[in-house]
Structures are given as C-alpha cells and as structure tokens.
Amino acid sequence: METMSTGRRSILAAPFIRCAAVALLMTSITTVAKADEFAGPTFRKGLWHFVRTLDMIAHRKSKQRLLERELTACVDPTVSMKATFSSPSVGSCVSARPEKKNNQYTFANRCDVMGPVSTVITVHSDESYTEQNELSEGQVPRVELVVAHRIGDCGTDTAQVSSAKTLSH
C-alpha cells in the first residue's frame, strides 16, 4: 500500500512539476523578450556632459533661444534611452515606433512632456549622441536639442555641476 501511495504521489506530482517547469520556462522567455525589446542605442556609464537648448521658431529662418542649460553628472544614458524608446501613449497621443537608418533613430511621433514631438537621436559613438525634439503642434513651434558626450569615469568625489540660463530677447 505504501508503494502505491508513493506511486500515486509521484503520478499526481508529475503534472504539477511539468506546470511549474513550463511556468518557469515561460517566465524566462518573457524576461528575455522584455530585455530584447529595447533595440535602441547603448552608451557607456560615466561622467557625462549635457547641453540642452530650447528654441522657439518664430519664422522659417528665425528662432529665439528660450533656454540653455548645462549639466555634468555621473549617469548611465542607456537608462534614459530605454525610457525614451518605451514612451507610452498618453491620452490621444500615440507614440510611433522608431525607425533606424545608419546611426539615426527617428520617431515620427513620440509622446513627450512637451506633447507630441518628432524625435531624431543621432548616435556618434557609445560616448556621444544628440537628441532633437521638434514640437510643431500648438501655438508656437519649438525645438529642443540635447548634445551629450562622456567626459570620463565617475569618481567618489564626482559632483553634479549644473547651470541654466533663461534667455529672452
């Protein structure tokens, strides 16, 4: 009788073990798929210098600088890129998938804090890139440009340095 009940337990346990194995396999596949979803650029972690400008486009040949800001910080820009590439839809704004051509990633429409923007990210290397966001909807067209480059490794005494200028003419 003992042998039969042990046999029954193993027969009953087999489907559970198979289900657990299938669940574990599916979790692994899902995790790998999510990791593979990011098809954007990757950059080296370190001390990076960023210059961000925001211009208002008054006419085709005329622009006015609204903001210029610089930041030097110890960061991993790949983390920010993952957020940019996974921009969720917001309200009626639906983000387009990026198109890659050579060293450029172009989003025809991306939901951003500025609203729906067209974005072009140009990768110069794993230590340098530019990101241009153009907002053409609304009252005044605007262009935001971020120029980023790695300037070294992070140290324990590395401090963030930031400066901002709001310009008006």
Side-chain angles (χ1 to χ4, degrees), residues 8-128:
R8 275 193 188 145
R9 276 191 215 129
S10 62
I11 290 171
L12 291 174
F16 175 75
I17 291 170
R18 270 190 298 236
C19 287
V22 168
L24 183 60
L25 179 63
M26 293 304 289
T27 301
S28 299
I29 290 170
T30 303
T31 303
V32 169
K34 284 184 181 178
D36 290 341
E37 280 179 23
F38 177 66
T42 56
F43 299 98
R44 291 182 58 199
K45 181 180 179 180
L47 188 61
W48 282 74
H49 182 74
F50 301 90
V51 177
R52 177 181 175 248
T53 57
L54 182 61
D55 295 323
M56 178 177 67
I57 310 301
H59 300 287
R60 292 180 76 179
K61 295 182 182 182
S62 172
K63 66 181 179 180
Q64 180 180 359
R65 175 83 20 110
L66 300 174
L67 176 83
E68 184 175 62
R69 179 173 287 159
E70 292 186 36
L71 171 72
T72 301
C74 186
V75 296
D76 183 354
T78 303
V79 173
S80 295
M81 284 294 156
K82 286 180 180 179
T84 298
F85 276 69
S86 67
S87 291
S89 299
V90 178
S92 61
C93 180
V94 178
S95 293
R97 288 194 165 278
E99 293 181 21
K100 183 179 187 232
K101 185 175 181 182
N102 299 323
N103 66 331
Q104 287 190 328
Y105 297 83
T106 303
F107 297 81
N109 188 58
R110 188 174 66 82
C111 303
D112 187 80
V113 294
M114 292 181 9
V117 297
S118 62
T119 299
V120 177
I121 297 169
T122 305
V123 178
H124 306 288
S125 70
D126 65 349
E127 296 186 340
S128 174

Side-chain angles (χ1 to χ4, degrees), residues 120-141:
V120 177
I121 297 169
T122 305
V123 178
H124 306 288
S125 70
D126 65 349
E127 296 186 340
S128 174
Y129 71 91
T130 58
E131 178 179 336
Q132 181 171 321
N133 297 297
E134 291 188 32
L135 175 68
S136 56
E137 290 185 15
Q139 298 172 3
V140 181

